Amino acid sequence: MNFLRGVMGGQSAGPQHTEAETIQKLCDRVASSTLLDDRRNAVRALKSLSKKYRLEVGIQAMEHLIHVLQTDRSDSEIIGYALDTLYNIISNDEEEEVDDVEEENSTRQSEDLGSQFTEIFIKQQENVTLLLSLLEEFDFHVRWPGVKLLTSLLKQLGPQVQQIILVSPMGVSRLMDLLADSREVIRNDGVLLLQALTRSNGAIQKIVAFENAFERLLDIITEEGNSDGGIVVEDCLILLQNLLKNNNSNQNFFKEGSYIQRMKPWFEVGDENSGWSAQKVTNLHLMLQLVRVLVSPNNPPGATSSCQKAMFQCGLLQQLCTILMATGGPADILTETINTVSEVIRGYQVNQDYFASVNAPSNPPRPAIVVLLMSMVNERQPFVLRCAVLYCFQCFLYKNQKGQGEIVSTLLPSTIDATGNSVSAGQLLCGGLFSTDSLSNWCAAVALAHALQENATQKEQLLRVQLATSIGNPPVSLLQQCTNILSQGDKIDRRGSKIQTRVGLLMLLCTWLSNCPIAVTHFLHNSANVPFLTGQIAENLGEEEQLVQGLCALLLGISIYFNDNSLESYMKEKLKQLIEKRIGKENFIEKLGFISKHELYSRASQKPQPNFPSPEYMIFDHEFTKLVKELEGVITKAIYKSSEEDKQEEEVKKTLEQHDSIVTHYKNMIREQDLQLEELKQQISTLKCQNEQLQTAVTQQVSQIQQHKDQYNLLKVQLGKDNQHQGSYSDGAQMNGIQPEEIGRLREEIEELKSNQELLQSQLAEKDSFIENLKSSQPSPGTNEQSSATASARDSEQIEELKQELATLKSQLNSQSSEITKLQTEKQELLQKTEAFAKSVPIPGESETVIATKTADIEGRLSALLQETKELKNEIKALSEERTAIKEQLDSSNSTIAILQNEKNKLEVDITDSKKEQDDLLVLLADQDQKIFSLKNKLKELGHPVEEEDELESGDQDDEDDEDEDDSKEQGHI
């Protein structure tokens, strides 16, 4: 408050005094007026004054405005005015122009005023909670000013406001609802609010992410047109970066939610070269940075590799490579795309292999690596682009021994294209290494050093590379050429930094010789190398040359530490004596320490990407800083060690090597014994299984032998009792597991079936004769009505009886056929058992003669059994034929009965018709008699003579006889 009073005191007293009074009156009206309209008008007036008289309104009206927010929530209009007024007080946005003289002071005072008023507002945490509750109002005039006010509070004092929102119940969840608002103004300002809310606060970032922020933001980006969208897409991308950067939990949630797959359409920019607006470039740049956030080398290795895998599987890497090889795009987009592809493939073998297979759309097609290296060694390319290509090459070779071998193989004599039609990666690196551009020298040396990183095989292979320096001179090795250029120093006129080329070559040589005694021997074999190094270290040069001296000391120390003493003139002890004599151990260690003390050393050691503001700062490589940190201490110890200590150390090393060899030998022996044990265990298990199978077989054979013995004993007993055919038959059957009672029962059943069949045949014959009688016995035409009815009833009864008997016969036939089938099945079983018994093995314990006799006896019995079986088979066949004949007879009987039934029905119809005719005749006769009688009476009355009744009766009798004859004739005709 003292600050506010000071600011007010420094302002002019004339007009300000009048405005202060006006503001005071308005505040009094807001505080004391009972009418809502009066309070609303007063707050509206304060809003109009708050932009110009920010200080006065803030001092006098803030408490009243907060009170309005608390008490007048039912009126959205006054709440909106109050929120707008508070926003004008707290916000630092200057809308009106100010004079140049007052601009600096006004800006400083504005920033101080905003933070001061923000501190006053959030001093009571209930004010922030009240503001969060107002954001739940759907009214536009309340929600939008509330969003702007809370955003301004977060910009002024972000950490304090974040903490208040974090402890507020459902505070973050209320703010997430802003993204779902249908009004774009509120939604877009809500995105800006969440940007300020999530900045540098991991707890809030997690809450926002788990409130489905990724889904909503990606939907907004898609609705707005992805990279073609406006500034809303940019705001959403910035918010996504806030949520994901340095937040492993949110990155894992983003990957597991399959949101990486939704990023692929962002980079489908098409083939058109036009249409790259500034907003599109900005959006695509942020999209590429978002991909890099997920695969950053600073992330945990497991999380990075899983994201790299997902990006390859969904086709995102392929889409990025398409942009990389496209032409006509902006330079900064191409640079950022190269950096993005670099981190997507870094350390992940599948992605590195895919990148090695990518070809540029040229004629003839060239690998993408070759095209990129051409840009790296081309001094006309932009510096940032060359740095990006170097980073891409480093990431391609990072933990990729296969790729390292492919790069080194392009330098070997057997793989170089003799025609010269195509340029290989190795040739480009050598060309850059020996060019007159110092930056190309440095980049090529560092790139070649990465091809040797932690790969002793390729270090040895690179020793085979031979270079043709000039016509007529013999070729020299690559190692020798590097030392030759290094010894020339500044004699060659180069463009760029004076020490950059030498630093690059020294880093290459240090990487090449470390952990490779063969390369150290080749290096020491050139007698000029050691004197050059000692001379460089011993000189007192300027500050720029101190770094070169330190690197020379490191190279000489590596030559000592990794020396296998194969060269007598450059053994470890002699080199240390040379250092002590020419340089001094303390001076040597001091010069060695120049490397890690250099100001650019710590900058390069922070992250693997070579990101430098200008070429002059491009001195150290990230991987080389790791090598220096690893070797600096061991070289210092090696220099100070005496010869005796060296001998002891060598003896210890030899002892350790012997011990290791012995341990390795025993390990191999143990491994072989383990394999043998496994084989023996398998053999034992196999033998156990075979033993169990054999025991089971023996048990089965013992049981079979016991069964044969029992059969043999039964056979002996049976042979002693019966010598007849039936006895032998029953004995043989009993030997085969068939009891004689069963055979007798079968024979009895056959006899019963035969008798039943004969009985059925006789019944059929009777029925046939009965049917014939029915056919012959037709009803006579002269029978009367009673006799015909009796005959009809009798015929129907007989027909019903015939139907029942036919059904009985059919059921008997079916049962007989089933019994015959059963007998056939039993016969087959009997045959099988007899054949099995005929093939049974001889019973041990008997002499051959007795066995032969018994075998002959058994064969005789078997032949008898077979004969009887054949007879039974013939009988069954005859029975089946008879059954078929009986079925045919039954069918014919059924058809005959049906015909008779039809004839009977016709006769019944004729009888009924004749009865009706007779009745009609009787009625006619009665009428005629009545007429005749009346006529006779009339004749008598008239006096005519009339015949006697007897005569008439006799005449009538004659007439009746004639009528009967006529009727009989008609009946016979019918």
Side-chain angles (χ1 to χ4, degrees), residues 785-828:
E785 182 181 354
Q786 184 177 1
S787 63
S788 63
T790 306
S792 175
R794 186 174 61 253
D795 289 341
S796 62
E797 290 176 359
Q798 289 178 354
I799 288 168
E800 290 296 329
E801 290 178 359
L802 281 173
K803 287 181 179 179
Q804 292 178 0
E805 289 178 359
L806 281 173
T808 306
L809 285 172
K810 287 180 180 179
S811 63
Q812 288 178 357
L813 281 173
N814 291 330
S815 63
Q816 187 178 8
S817 62
S818 63
E819 289 178 358
I820 289 170
T821 304
K822 183 178 179 182
L823 284 173
Q824 288 178 349
T825 305
E826 292 179 353
K827 184 198 73 172
Q828 292 295 333

Side-chain angles (χ1 to χ4, degrees), residues 602-616:
S602 59
R603 181 172 182 174
S605 63
Q606 292 176 0
K607 54 184 180 180
Q609 182 182 1
N611 189 11
F612 305 103
S614 62
E616 291 77 16

Side-chain angles (χ1 to χ4, degrees), residues 224-236:
E224 295 292 328
N226 294 330
S227 61
D228 294 324
I231 196 170
V232 179
V233 174
E234 179 183 350
D235 294 336
C236 291

Side-chain angles (χ1 to χ4, degrees), residues 78 129-130 147 229 250 259 603 635 660 675 805 823 894 910:
I78 191 172
T129 307
L130 175 63
V147 170
N250 284 1
Y259 297 119
R603 181 172 182 174
I635 290 174
D660 291 339
L675 294 174
E805 289 178 359
L823 284 173
N894 289 331
D910 293 339

Side-chain angles (χ1 to χ4, degrees), residues 494-508:
R494 300 180 185 276
R495 294 179 296 276
S497 175
K498 296 180 180 180
I499 64 169
Q500 201 168 34
T501 300
R502 287 180 290 165
V503 170
L505 290 172
L506 286 169
M507 287 194 297
L508 171 60

Side-chain angles (χ1 to χ4, degrees), residues 655-668:
T655 306
L656 289 174
E657 290 176 358
Q658 292 176 358
H659 176 71
D660 291 339
S661 63
I662 293 171
V663 170
T664 305
H665 175 68
Y666 280 115
K667 282 182 179 179
N668 294 331

Side-chain angles (χ1 to χ4, degrees), residues 684-700:
I684 289 171
S685 61
T686 306
L687 292 174
K688 282 183 178 179
C689 294
Q690 292 178 358
N691 187 21
E692 291 176 357
Q693 293 175 359
L694 291 173
Q695 286 181 353
T696 305
V698 169
T699 305
Q700 291 177 356

Side-chain angles (χ1 to χ4, degrees), residues 345-401:
I345 68 174
R346 186 177 188 268
Y348 192 70
Q349 187 67 49
V350 177
N351 293 3
Q352 290 169 338
D353 292 342
Y354 171 77
F355 184 71
S357 65
V358 175
N359 288 325
S362 60
N363 190 16
R366 290 178 177 175
I369 298 174
V370 173
V371 175
L372 292 175
L373 288 177
M374 291 172 68
S375 300
M376 185 186 73
V377 298
N378 186 355
E379 56 184 304
R380 291 190 296 271
Q381 292 293 338
F383 172 68
V384 289
L385 178 63
R386 300 175 72 181
C387 291
V389 173
L390 175 61
Y391 184 46
C392 184
F393 191 73
Q394 291 174 349
C395 292
F396 170 68
L397 297 178
Y398 182 70
K399 293 183 179 180
N400 183 10
Q401 293 191 353

